[in-house]
Amino acid sequence: MVEMIAVLTITLLAVISPGPDFAMVTRNSLLLSRRAGLMTALGIGLGVLVHLSYTLLGVGLLIRESPWLFDAIKLMGAFYLIYLGVKMLMTRSGEAQSQASIAPLSDFAALRTGFLTNALNPKTTVFVVSLFMQVVRPDTPLPVQLGYGLIIVLMHVGWFSLVSLCFSAGRVRDRLFAVRGWIDRVFGGLLVGFGFLLAIARVGR
């Protein structure tokens, strides 16, 4: 029970902390649709599955003890965030931009965006690997560890779905959609900033 409470508490704090996942869900919910935001949230949950899979298979230990491998993951994630951010910054702005000019995003594209944003996020790598190596005991049965993993995924999907529902609400969207060009610029700048911070950050152990 103590172990479960620790997993729930740490996961909750990690999920609600602002980061690339939050930026992508918020942006897609505001500028595209509630459906796009929810599919992005689901993609984030699928991305968490990647981190859980290699951690439970023991690859997480290799990543933790191999600075060059972690650096490679970190750089891939950084480049992807910078790529997304630059795309947003290059979006047309001003009053001439109409709702129709915003490129629609298919369900698969929104799912893929959420998935890659999380799967390539080294902060999630550190979170999942550290959680299972420092909080979850080695003698914890595998079914219980799998249960923890399911809880972590559901908490990610649940939180970001809630974020999507809030930011896609009619009144919120109506008020903010008029400044959609600036919204793209703000979130694009945030993603580029996250990317550069990841690229230059020292690997912590």
Side-chain angles (χ1 to χ4, degrees), residues 66-85:
S66 302
W68 68 269
L69 183 56
F70 184 80
D71 282 344
I73 296 174
K74 182 177 65 175
L75 288 175
M76 285 191 296
F79 289 143
Y80 182 67
L81 292 179
I82 293 173
Y83 164 74
L84 290 177

Side-chain angles (χ1 to χ4, degrees), residues 110-167:
L111 188 76
R112 180 185 60 200
T113 299
F115 173 79
L116 291 176
T117 300
N118 187 275
L120 295 176
N121 187 351
K123 289 188 176 181
T124 310
T125 300
V126 172
F127 159 66
V128 175
V129 172
S130 298
L131 184 67
F132 275 84
M133 290 186 176
Q134 298 179 14
V135 177
V136 179
R137 297 190 307 272
D139 59 344
T140 299
L142 181 59
V144 176
Q145 294 191 42
L146 292 174
Y148 290 157
L150 179 60
I151 290 173
I152 293 171
V153 171
L154 292 178
M155 288 182 70
H156 276 79
V157 174
W159 167 253
F160 289 112
S161 294
L162 179 61
V163 170
S164 176
L165 292 175
C166 291
F167 281 95

Side-chain angles (χ1 to χ4, degrees), residues 1-173:
M1 182 59 68
V2 173
E3 185 178 84
M4 179 178 292
I5 293 175
V7 170
L8 290 173
T9 303
I10 294 172
T11 301
L12 178 62
L13 294 175
V15 168
I16 65 177
S17 61
D21 294 340
F22 182 85
M24 284 308 306
V25 172
T26 303
R27 184 263 178 187
N28 287 349
S29 300
L30 277 174
L31 298 188
L32 299 175
S33 67
R34 174 170 294 177
R35 186 180 182 88
L38 292 174
M39 293 304 294
T40 304
L42 180 58
I44 289 171
L46 295 177
V48 176
L49 282 176
V50 174
H51 302 289
L52 288 167
S53 297
Y54 63 65
T55 298
L56 292 176
L57 290 173
V59 181
L61 180 61
L62 174 62
I63 294 175
R64 181 181 176 84
E65 300 301 328
S66 302
W68 68 269
L69 183 56
F70 184 80
D71 282 344
I73 296 174
K74 182 177 65 175
L75 288 175
M76 285 191 296
F79 289 143
Y80 182 67
L81 292 179
I82 293 173
Y83 164 74
L84 290 177
V86 170
K87 282 185 63 177
M88 292 182 192
L89 290 172
M90 294 177 64
T91 302
R92 286 193 303 163
S93 62
E95 297 179 356
Q97 184 188 35
S98 65
Q99 183 170 357
S101 69
I102 300 178
L105 204 62
S106 67
D107 288 350
F108 176 75
L111 188 76
R112 180 185 60 200
T113 299
F115 173 79
L116 291 176
T117 300
N118 187 275
L120 295 176
N121 187 351
K123 289 188 176 181
T124 310
T125 300
V126 172
F127 159 66
V128 175
V129 172
S130 298
L131 184 67
F132 275 84
M133 290 186 176
Q134 298 179 14
V135 177
V136 179
R137 297 190 307 272
D139 59 344
T140 299
L142 181 59
V144 176
Q145 294 191 42
L146 292 174
Y148 290 157
L150 179 60
I151 290 173
I152 293 171
V153 171
L154 292 178
M155 288 182 70
H156 276 79
V157 174
W159 167 253
F160 289 112
S161 294
L162 179 61
V163 170
S164 176
L165 292 175
C166 291
F167 281 95
S168 62
R171 291 184 178 180
V172 175
R173 288 195 72 210

Side-chain angles (χ1 to χ4, degrees), residues 188-203:
L190 284 174
L191 290 179
V192 170
F194 283 135
F196 275 115
L197 287 175
L198 285 178
I200 65 176
R202 296 179 59 186
V203 179

